[in-house]
């Protein structure tokens, strides 16, 4: 039986099929973060207007306990670098030039969705915090705390 989140994801892929046309696309979607991702897709579509510029997601995943969304257009493929230095995570986006105004707007939309995931349970979307589970980091609320079951990561994927 399909979950409501699975149906929402299928609807999103139908509405914005052009966003998901990358061959061998690596897509991991997490239940708790799906509403923010859907809003980001709607905002990106509005920014693009009639000219979709070859926009497509190249990967969506969890990294360091929060969401990461990677994209490409006909004009640019931003490069993301994640660095952790003991004082926190630092994100660098490179490869966007002055003339890549639309791509910069898209990057800002996606960074905002990623930032929200830092404090939302990946399973249910309730307020959460990033904790270590074995070698993994994941954002979970008290109800889905990683110390209760290792299944929370698997169960979070739509």
């Amino acid at each position: 039986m399909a979950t409501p989140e699975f149906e929402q994801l299928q609807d999103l892929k139908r509405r914005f099929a052009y966003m998901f046309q990358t061959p061998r696309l690596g897509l991991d979607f997490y239940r708790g973060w799906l509403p923010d991702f859907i809003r980001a897709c709607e905002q990106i579509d509005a920014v693009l207007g009639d000219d979709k510029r070859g926009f497509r997601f190249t990967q969506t995943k969890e990294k360091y306990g929060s969401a990461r969304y990677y994209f490409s257009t006909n004009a640019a493929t931003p490069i993301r670098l994640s660095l952790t230095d003991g004082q926190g995570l630092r994100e660098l986006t490179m490869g966007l030039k002055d003339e890549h105004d639309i791509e910069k707007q898209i990057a800002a939309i996606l960074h905002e969705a990623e930032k929200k995931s830092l404090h939302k349970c990946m399973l249910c979307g309730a307020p959460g915090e990033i904790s270590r589970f074995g070698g993994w980091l994941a954002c979970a609320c008290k109800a889905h705390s990683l110390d209760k079951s290792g299944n929370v990561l698997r169960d979070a994927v739509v």
Side-chain angles (χ1 to χ4, degrees):
M1 182 171 118
T3 65
E5 295 89 0
F6 180 79
E7 293 300 329
Q8 287 177 317
L9 185 56
Q10 295 311 308
D11 179 58
L12 182 70
K13 288 179 177 181
R14 280 189 294 274
R15 286 172 53 205
F16 305 119
Y18 69 93
M19 293 183 178
F20 304 98
Q21 295 300 316
T22 303
R24 294 182 301 280
L25 179 60
L27 294 176
D28 287 332
F29 294 101
Y30 294 87
R31 296 179 193 290
W33 301 337
L34 189 57
D36 292 326
F37 182 72
I38 291 170
R39 270 191 295 287
C41 289
E42 292 167 345
Q43 292 171 335
I44 290 167
D45 187 66
V47 165
L48 290 170
D50 291 334
D51 181 0
K52 301 306 181 199
R53 302 175 191 274
F55 175 88
R56 63 212 165 271
F57 285 104
T58 55
Q59 188 176 38
T60 67
K61 66 181 184 176
E62 170 277 327
K63 187 171 184 177
Y64 296 114
S66 62
R68 292 293 184 279
Y69 306 122
Y70 302 87
F71 74 94
S72 183
T73 68
N74 291 338
T77 300
I79 299 168
R80 301 274 308 273
L81 183 60
S82 303
L83 303 169
T84 182
D85 61 4
Q87 297 190 12
L89 181 64
R90 309 220 190 273
E91 287 285 327
L92 301 173
T93 300
M94 300 173 283
L96 294 179
K97 299 176 184 173
D98 289 342
E99 66 268 18
H100 296 140
D101 184 55
I102 295 291
E103 288 81 4
K104 288 179 184 179
Q105 290 178 56
I106 292 167
I109 290 167
L110 293 174
H111 286 311
E112 185 61 30
E114 292 171 352
K115 196 163 62 170
K116 289 178 181 178
S117 74
L118 287 165
H119 306 287
K120 284 189 178 181
C121 177
M122 59 198 309
L123 192 72
C124 70
E129 61 182 51
I130 296 176
S131 325
R132 187 169 296 281
F133 175 72
W136 295 94
L137 293 172
C139 193
C141 65
K142 290 185 185 204
H144 296 113
S145 174
L146 296 177
D147 61 344
K148 298 195 178 186
S149 166
N151 292 332
V152 73
L153 296 176
R154 184 180 61 238
D155 294 344
V157 178
V158 176

